[in-house]
Amino acid sequence: MAYVLRGLAANPALPTELVVRLIAVAAGDADSGIAEGLAARADLSRPRAIALAACATQGSPRRLGTEWIDLYQVHRPDHTTDVEEKLSVLTDLVRQGKIRAFGCSTFPADDIVEAYHVAERRGLQRFRTEQPPYSLLARGIEKHVLPVAQRLGMGVLTWSPLGSGFLTGRYRKGRAPDLSSGRPTLHPGRFDPAAPRTAAKLEVVEQLVAVADELGCTLPELATAFPLAHPAVTSVIIGPRTMEQLRDTLKGASVTLDDATLDRLDEIVAPGTDVYPPDGVWTPPSLTDPALRRRPAASRSAV
């Protein structure tokens, strides 16, 4: 927390949304009630949702020294709870003055559209923001999510601009990765250069390093500037662990990518495609549960 506060003092012109995010993360904005809710999030019936929301909307403002939450976001979709129930609970929180607005995180475009129409039909508040992963290695949201957000007038707060560390320049083709610190200590398999998915990322990184060198900037600066170039993106959430990382990442905010550069980036990673599935992204039950893709055995024949 001290590192972040010193950084804020040295950078008084930082965007408000970035300041709030940094303080919330540095303060360890979580409590046992929220942790319990995440462990049992399959049970998000209205009583359960009300209890979890009450816990979060009381604990977070107390820790942050404020009387309300400006933006409260639903973290990942939950198809076991009807969307109207979720919107109803969140609308109640707005009307009670506990939150000013609410949004969603890593929701597919069809869920966002469904929630919008339910809110319109039932006279409820709607999702005002979406928080998806977006980087030069993960451009999948360009296909549907970002156009939907633009059409519905939603703010978009993207995260993981450095592609889980691969766009820091720390991991390069032909170099043995350091697995002793950072993300590799949690998921060493994701950084194995022999793995096809990792090899694909490293191939792209080499091409991106060349682009950054020609522009006279670093790879992290290029990676941070990229999502800011999209008209649907409102702000970019960064996740520095040290003051040095914070300073290096913030430099990307002053980098302007011209059309020629963006065209080159499109050639390296095609728009709307992912070099890898972004870590932590929600996968729909239709893909994780085989039973949802299969008729009963006795009904699978056409005769």
Side-chain angles (χ1 to χ4, degrees):
M1 181 66 171
Y3 286 116
V4 173
L5 292 179
R6 283 202 294 270
L8 298 179
N11 296 274
L14 289 181
T16 301
E17 64 269 23
L18 176 61
V19 172
V20 172
R21 178 70 180 182
L22 286 171
I23 292 176
V25 171
D29 190 23
D31 57 31
S32 59
I34 297 175
E36 177 189 353
L38 291 175
R41 63 182 175 184
D43 174 20
L44 278 182
S45 59
R46 182 174 175 80
R48 179 70 171 171
I50 291 174
L52 290 174
C55 177
T57 54
Q58 291 173 13
S60 294
R62 183 180 64 250
R63 286 188 296 276
L64 297 174
T66 184
E67 296 180 358
W68 61 79
I69 295 172
D70 286 321
L71 176 62
Y72 185 76
Q73 299 197 129
V74 177
H75 196 62
R76 305 290 187 271
D78 167 40
H79 286 176
T80 65
T81 304
D82 186 78
V83 63
E84 183 177 347
E85 285 218 38
K86 286 180 281 193
L87 293 175
S88 177
V89 170
L90 293 166
T91 298
D92 286 347
L93 293 176
V94 173
R95 291 170 177 168
Q96 293 166 9
K98 294 182 178 179
I99 63 177
R100 294 292 178 86
F102 57 85
C104 50
S105 177
T106 322
F107 273 43
D110 56 332
D111 279 20
I112 295 173
V113 171
E114 179 189 7
Y116 174 83
H117 287 296
V118 169
E120 289 283 295
R121 191 165 57 247
R122 299 298 187 186
L124 301 170
Q125 298 279 333
R126 65 184 181 91
F127 289 130
R128 296 293 178 176
T129 59
E130 160 60 15
Q131 181 179 306
Y134 186 38
S135 74
L136 282 163
L137 296 176
R139 301 182 58 173
I141 64 169
E142 294 173 342
K143 188 178 296 183
H144 299 300
V145 172
L146 292 182
V148 164
Q150 282 182 287
R151 191 163 67 246
L152 299 182
M154 298 174 65
V156 177
L157 303 81
T158 65
W159 55 272
S160 195
L162 300 184
S164 296
F166 277 90
L167 297 177
T168 62
R170 180 179 178 184
Y171 308 102
R172 301 287 299 274
K173 183 179 178 181
R175 299 181 188 174
D178 178 8
L179 304 179
S180 63
S181 63
R183 287 183 179 272
T185 62
L186 302 174
H187 305 286
R190 295 179 182 175
F191 296 84
D192 180 3
R197 187 172 290 170
T198 302
K201 286 187 278 190
L202 295 175
E203 288 286 353
V204 170
V205 164
E206 294 305 310
Q207 298 178 66
L208 296 176
V209 167
V211 173
D213 288 344
E214 292 180 17
L215 291 176
C217 67
T218 66
L219 180 57
E221 291 169 13
L222 172 65
T224 304
F226 170 73
L228 290 170
H230 198 291
V233 174
T234 309
S235 64
V236 176
I237 298 173
I238 59 176
R241 291 184 295 108
T242 67
M243 279 303 303
E244 180 181 6
Q245 291 177 354
L246 175 62
R247 284 191 291 267
D248 290 345
T249 305
L250 288 178
K251 291 177 183 177
S254 62
V255 175
T256 300
L257 304 180
D258 59 24
D259 288 344
T261 300
L262 292 172
D263 287 343
R264 287 193 61 190
L265 297 177
D266 287 349
E267 293 173 358
I268 296 171
V269 179
T273 63
D274 293 327
V275 179
Y276 76 107
D279 300 337
V281 171
W282 175 82
T283 303
S286 58
L287 299 182
T288 59
D289 186 355
L292 297 178
R293 303 190 302 275
R294 301 170 185 174
R295 297 177 183 272
S299 305
R300 293 176 190 169
S301 174
V303 296

